[in-house]
Amino acid sequence: MNRNRIVLPQLLLVLAVCAFFFFFGLGAFGLVGADEPRYAQVAREMLARHDWIVPTLNGHPWLEKPVLLYWLEMLAYSVFGVHGWAARVPSAALATALAVAAFFFMRRFRPGSEMDAAFIMASFAAMIGFGRGASTDMPLTAPFSAAMLAWWAWHETGNRLALAGFYACLAVGALAKGPIAPGLAVLIVAAYSFLRRDGKIFLRSLWLPGFALFFVIVLPWYVAVQLRVPQFFHEFFLRQNLERFSTNLYQHKQPFWYYVPVFLLAVLPWIVFTLPALGHASRAGLRRLRGGASDWQPDAQEDWLALFLWLWLLIPIVFFSISQSKLPGYILPAVPAAALLTALDIHRRQAIARVKLALHALVCGGVLAAVLLAPWSLMRQPVAPAARIIIPILAGVMAVIVLVAVRSSGTGALRFATLVPLVLGLGFLLRGVAPAIDGTQSARPLAAELVHLGVGGRESVAVFNVKREAEYGLNFYLNQPILRYERDGVPAQAHIVIVKAGSAGALQALLGDRKAVSVA
């Protein structure tokens, strides 16, 4: 009864943490990279045409990804208007939903660890970063993770409604990023069944009504877009999935071990607790793989959940390590499993070793220091002499605060003490560092300057020798196609061209006798 009485205050606290980490200051800086503005523009064009089937970019079919993110962005635009920050709302909402799902899942199956699970889920660096980005990574991760939680709920209780939720969520994940959601799910469930020495677990998961539900959700859009754009199957399934995985088609080649440092950064600031939890689960899983059953009794349900979470974490990382194309967001579906595994381990250990707590405090201080150093890093300038003194002091003070708070109040204070440097760091990032991010990583300031100069609308805008991030950013913020000299040639009509610094000579060589007038 007492647990039921406090669930609402707990849930409100989780929502408040998520509101800050995922929604606060979404528009503090403009869309960054190539993907954010590109996806945002695709959704804008679909909304303008009232077309919910064919994604287009500058009027041409854009078939790299399925449609879920665009649908969600279209809904956000319908409510908030077409803004860069509105394109980020879907990921923020899905990240919040994932933290809430972790809360209720652990409350049901591992009572007492639900607050740790929700807070860790919301405060992992990867969750904050991708939960604030207009990309397809969170729209895949949230439904995929919900599917895995639903599968475990069915596995524990036999509730067919949970199994239906598993298939439905996988279908939503397939609308987010294609076959990767069901593919990873099959590998994880099959591996779990194998380690349990019980093939019936996997076979019972193959439920005909579930397959029917999956295809009812997935097929309408896939069939509709194939009928409208016959090259969809080749472009999406063969080129964007098979070739992207097996070749270095898009120049994203990295070494096999690339995801080791990516994962370590993803689980900050909880790395000191996540790695031992992962190590404990790994040792148990390997013992089970070798057939040693002494530490694995069938009624040790917490161990079975840890094994399941270990496989959920490990398999996506190994799978994408094999891929010839690697990007940090590819392993985001593994991160929620790391959050739950960390929460399980913290809950199981009634006390925190002094060395572990000291290391955690140092990590928290280091995270704050890294954020405070961000302006100089982004501007590629030497750190100011005063900052070299002040920042280490502030980091040390923060480490002491975390250490003292947990030592004096116990493990219950761990989650709140860890949030302090994250809240301060994110607040500084969105207020103190945002102008530097805008000026160095986003095309928003440049687009605003062009609009101020009266450029836009019918005037052609071109780029030469600049990163594609600038091209796609201008495309969104000016809402018009951006010509690229290297791809489209030099336009015959008068136009504005954005040129990388130091490229004036190369530009004039391309222009020949035509005159270029500098406006900046």
Side-chain angles (χ1 to χ4, degrees), residues 60 64 118 155 164 201 211 213 216 278 325 329-330 335 374 417 422 443 449 486:
H60 302 289
E64 281 195 3
H155 175 58
I201 294 175
F211 282 106
L213 178 61
V216 164
L278 178 58
S325 180
Y330 288 178
V335 170
L422 295 179
E449 182 64 23
E486 299 94 320

Side-chain angles (χ1 to χ4, degrees), residues 23 58 60 63 118 134 239 295 368 373 496:
F23 287 95
N58 297 320
H60 302 289
L63 307 175
R239 185 176 175 84
D295 296 325
L368 181 62
L373 289 169
I496 298 290

Side-chain angles (χ1 to χ4, degrees), residues 5-366:
R5 192 176 295 124
I6 65 172
V7 65
L8 182 58
Q10 287 180 325
L11 183 58
L12 291 175
L13 186 56
V14 170
L15 290 174
V17 169
C18 291
F20 179 79
F21 281 145
F22 302 133
F23 287 95
F24 177 70
L26 272 183
F29 51 85
L31 300 177
V32 299
D35 287 341
E36 274 204 305
R38 185 168 53 196
Y39 296 151
Q41 181 64 17
V42 169
R44 168 194 263 159
E45 292 186 21
M46 293 180 70
L47 182 63
R49 298 193 323 272
H50 304 287
D51 184 351
W52 294 76
I53 303 299
V54 181
T56 63
L57 183 63
N58 297 320
H60 302 289
W62 185 261
L63 307 175
E64 281 195 3
K65 298 293 187 292
V67 77
L68 181 64
L69 174 63
Y70 309 136
W71 282 350
L72 297 175
E73 289 179 332
M74 291 164 70
L75 292 174
Y77 291 161
S78 299
V79 175
F80 304 111
V82 180
H83 305 286
W85 63 266
R88 292 169 170 160
V89 167
S91 290
L94 289 169
T96 300
L98 189 48
V100 172
F103 173 83
F104 282 109
F105 176 83
M106 298 299 272
R107 186 174 186 271
R108 169 64 177 83
F109 295 106
R110 295 295 180 268
S113 64
E114 59 265 31
M115 289 296 286
D116 284 328
F119 276 35
I120 293 171
M121 184 79 75
S123 58
F124 268 167
M127 292 297 295
I128 295 174
F130 287 100
R132 301 177 64 88
S135 72
T136 57
D137 297 296
M138 191 57 70
L140 166 66
T141 298
F144 172 77
S145 300
M148 302 315 295
L149 298 180
W151 184 88
W152 181 264
W154 165 78
H155 175 58
E156 282 261 294
T157 66
N159 188 332
R160 286 293 178 88
L161 187 61
L163 188 57
F166 167 68
Y167 280 94
C169 289
L170 287 182
V172 175
L175 288 172
K177 222 168 181 181
I180 189 61
L184 288 176
V186 167
L187 291 175
I188 293 167
V189 173
Y192 177 78
S193 179
F194 173 76
L195 289 185
R196 286 292 303 263
R197 303 294 196 272
D198 186 356
K200 293 181 180 179
I201 294 175
F202 181 77
L203 294 177
R204 287 196 302 268
S205 303
L206 304 178
W207 187 43
L208 288 179
F211 282 106
L213 178 61
F214 177 88
F215 288 118
V216 164
I217 295 172
V218 165
L219 284 183
W221 178 77
Y222 276 92
V223 172
V225 72
Q226 177 65 30
L227 292 174
R228 292 270 300 274
V229 189
Q231 67 266 32
F232 170 75
F233 180 87
H234 179 272
E235 175 64 23
F236 177 69
F237 286 103
L238 300 184
R239 185 176 175 84
Q240 298 298 330
N241 282 273
L242 185 59
E243 288 189 44
R244 183 185 286 266
F245 182 87
S246 59
T247 70
N248 189 28
L249 179 66
Y250 292 98
Q251 307 301 311
H252 295 150
K253 189 174 182 61
Q254 298 290 348
F256 180 82
W257 49 262
Y258 171 73
Y259 285 118
V260 173
V262 169
F263 176 76
L264 296 179
L265 292 174
V267 299
L268 288 173
W270 295 95
I271 186 172
V272 172
F273 296 98
T274 299
L275 290 184
L278 178 58
H280 180 268
S282 298
R283 288 190 296 273
L286 292 174
R287 284 198 303 271
R288 184 64 182 171
L289 186 61
R290 291 195 298 265
S294 58
D295 296 325
W296 286 85
Q297 299 303 320
D299 59 346
Q301 292 300 316
E302 184 168 348
D303 284 338
W304 294 131
L305 178 57
L307 174 67
F308 176 71
L309 294 173
W310 175 64
L311 292 170
W312 172 3
L313 188 161
L314 186 66
I315 286 175
I317 295 176
V318 173
F319 180 84
F320 285 110
S321 294
I322 297 171
S323 172
Q324 296 300 304
S325 180
K326 297 180 177 69
L327 288 173
Y330 288 178
I331 64 163
L332 189 64
V335 170
L340 299 182
L341 195 60
T342 304
L344 269 181
D345 198 65
I346 291 175
H347 181 64
R348 183 168 55 243
R349 303 175 188 276
Q350 298 300 317
I352 302 174
R354 291 184 179 182
V355 173
K356 184 181 292 186
L357 179 57
L359 289 174
H360 179 68
L362 290 174
V363 169
C364 289

